[in-house]
Amino acid sequence: MNQKRVLSGVQPTGALHIGNWLGAIRNWVDLQNDYETLVCVVDLHAITVPHDPTSLAKDTLSTAALYVACGMNPNTCSIFIQSHIKAHTELCWLLNCVTPLNWMERMIQFKEKALKQGDNVSIGLLDYPVLMAADILLYDSDFVPVGEDQKQHLELARDIAQQRINSRFGKGENEILKVPKPLIMSEGSKIMSLCDGKNKMSKSDPNENSRISLLDPPEIIKKKIKRAKTDAHMGLEFGNIERPEADNLLGIYSLVTGLGRDKASDECSAMGWGMFKPILTDAVINALEPIQKKYSDLIKDRCELNRILTEGEKRAQEISESTLKRVKDALGFLN
Ligand code: TYM
């Protein structure tokens, strides 16, 4: 197949939130129509910080079901579980051995997460971006649709492919690993916390009220938006750096309604927070309703979920095995 290829993934750490959807999954849904698309649930990444073994499998399955509920079509794209494809960890090891340690120490997310872990930082956390590079490079991915926070990890994957594999072990024009491009959307690529417009919405924020999960029932969404941080000004607006909460919530409104920035900002420019919040609440509830409905049907149908994941795994196995062989051959391993 000569079609260009897209690969992406989400960690099954807790419930997916609207940032994951608006910043990444929404883009996958569009891209699957034009490219061969593979999306995986990156469960190996989920154990790089302390995790709960009693919920990992459940969260992994739930994340896969959410991909479909959000609009990924299992008949045209491949959905699979990262840990089911052994080539991810094997390629990660090969890449580990050529990646300089100081490239890893520069990673912003590592520094942020390491701060939170204190003395408990695992080697896995430091190595996380190399595993992510392996995820991407194994599939000869042309494009990787992600949110803004993954940009540095994508650059690392490109540098490893180009500088550490292709230029060291490649012969002539033929590249061993394809150098991928990030696809970051112009809108929605950084949805901020409901409690602080200067902080990213995140699954790991201990405050549940900071995010809207894709499976939050309407009354919880209502409560979270009611409590969301506001300011003392009238009128919702974009781009005022002194009003990050207004920018963020208006942005969410424009995306979930599909109105776009201009229309959303015209509609809300004279509204006070008291009028805007119920409108935003309804818009979010309406946008999530079809996702929640599809999810609740699919999660009960374990047979169908297994079928989807088995199909996805077959395709992932096929592509990843041939890439891994190419890299091992280039590095000189005995066949
Ligand atoms: P993760 O699980 O943290 O997030 C999944 C995707 O959601 C995006 N995202 C956001 N977008 C907008 N606003 C936000 N507040 C927000 N929070 C998260 C992320 O940018 C991401 O696209 N390392 C990755 C997972 C991964 C991966 C890969 C991605 C592992 N291997 C290979 C692509 C390709 C991560 O932790 O994403």
Side-chain angles (χ1 to χ4, degrees):
M1 199 186 277
N2 269 336
Q3 211 185 359
K4 293 218 187 244
R5 212 174 272 151
V6 164
L7 177 120
S8 201
V10 176
Q11 288 190 65
T13 34
L16 268 57
H17 54 67
I18 56 169
N20 301 129
W21 175 46
L22 298 173
I25 301 175
R26 189 171 58 105
N27 203 9
W28 310 352
V29 173
D30 290 340
L31 292 163
Q32 68 181 332
N33 300 319
D34 297 322
Y35 303 106
E36 178 180 9
T37 302
L38 296 111
V39 287
C40 55
V41 180
V42 290
D43 53 350
L44 294 168
H45 280 93
I47 65 162
T48 55
V49 290
H51 81 288
D52 178 1
T54 61
S55 62
L56 182 61
K58 188 171 145 280
D59 289 345
T60 300
L61 204 61
S62 158
T63 303
L66 269 172
Y67 288 179
V68 179
C70 286
M72 295 311 288
N73 178 355
N75 298 321
T76 51
C77 79
S78 307
I79 302 175
F80 65 98
I81 310 300
Q82 180 192 33
S83 66
H84 293 180
I85 306 288
K86 304 241 176 329
H88 288 250
T89 42
E90 193 168 350
L91 182 62
C92 177
W93 178 255
L94 304 180
L95 301 182
N96 274 340
C97 296
V98 294
T99 304
L101 184 58
N102 65 3
W103 287 11
M104 310 309 298
E105 288 164 338
R106 284 204 293 263
M107 294 292 116
I108 298 163
Q109 269 204 353
F110 169 69
K111 288 195 243 176
E112 286 172 357
K113 288 189 182 174
L115 261 183
K116 287 189 200 149
Q117 300 299 319
D119 284 341
N120 211 6
V121 178
S122 69
I123 291 175
L125 187 64
L126 178 70
D127 200 27
Y128 171 119
V130 182
L131 179 60
M132 179 164 164
D135 300 340
I136 295 166
L137 301 174
L138 262 184
Y139 297 94
D140 287 334
S141 316
D142 294 276
F143 303 115
V144 186
V146 283
E148 181 71 40
D149 61 343
Q150 298 301 318
K151 200 170 165 190
Q152 196 188 29
H153 292 160
L154 255 296
E155 277 157 17
L156 180 90
R158 287 170 57 84
D159 289 346
I160 293 177
Q162 186 118 53
Q163 299 173 30
R164 296 285 152 162
I165 297 287
N166 292 346
S167 65
R168 284 192 177 181
F169 302 101
K171 291 194 182 75
E173 296 277 278
N174 287 345
E175 56 179 16
I176 301 163
L177 289 172
K178 182 168 264 180
V179 182
K181 290 194 182 74
L183 285 185
I184 297 174
M185 296 208 284
S186 57
E187 289 167 31
S189 66
K190 195 170 186 192
I191 301 289
M192 310 308 273
S193 155
L194 299 185
C195 301
D196 178 357
K198 290 195 184 109
N199 268 336
K200 196 190 65 161
M201 185 178 284
S202 157
K203 289 189 223 111
S204 59
D205 191 325
N207 185 354
E208 288 267 344
N209 289 323
S210 65
R211 59 185 168 268
I212 296 173
S213 296
L214 293 182
L215 297 175
D216 276 347
E219 57 286 5
I220 298 285
I221 297 175
K222 194 169 168 191
K223 191 187 87 189
K224 287 182 176 173
I225 295 182
K226 202 166 174 191
R227 289 196 183 164
K229 188 173 173 199
T230 57
D231 56 31
H233 301 272
M234 271 296 282
L236 274 292
E237 60 180 330
F238 283 121
N240 183 342
I241 50 163
E242 272 154 33
R243 304 191 62 202
E245 288 78 23
D247 185 273
N248 185 42
L249 294 187
L250 187 57
I252 294 174
Y253 181 68
S254 83
L255 290 169
V256 295
T257 53
L259 277 176
R261 285 166 75 88
D262 291 347
K263 282 197 183 140
S265 106
D266 285 350
E267 187 186 319
C268 307
S269 64
M271 278 183 198
W273 287 100
M275 189 171 186
F276 174 68
K277 279 189 167 182
I279 293 176
L280 173 65
T281 304
D282 286 346
V284 172
I285 291 171
N286 285 339
L288 294 185
E289 193 198 290
I291 295 176
Q292 296 181 350
K293 165 84 181 68
K294 206 163 173 187
Y295 173 85
S296 78
D297 291 343
L298 183 58
I299 201 70
K300 286 183 225 133
D301 192 348
R302 188 59 193 263
C303 242
E304 175 61 0
L305 266 174
N306 284 349
R307 186 194 67 79
I308 292 170
L309 293 174
T310 309
E311 279 299 305
E313 185 176 325
K314 250 193 250 159
R315 180 69 183 137
Q317 202 73 266
E318 202 174 88
I319 306 172
S320 60
E321 268 170 20
S322 94
T323 312
L324 185 64
K325 178 167 187 327
R326 219 163 59 225
V327 177
K328 288 179 84 172
D329 286 349
L331 265 57
F333 282 89
L334 178 67
N335 261 314

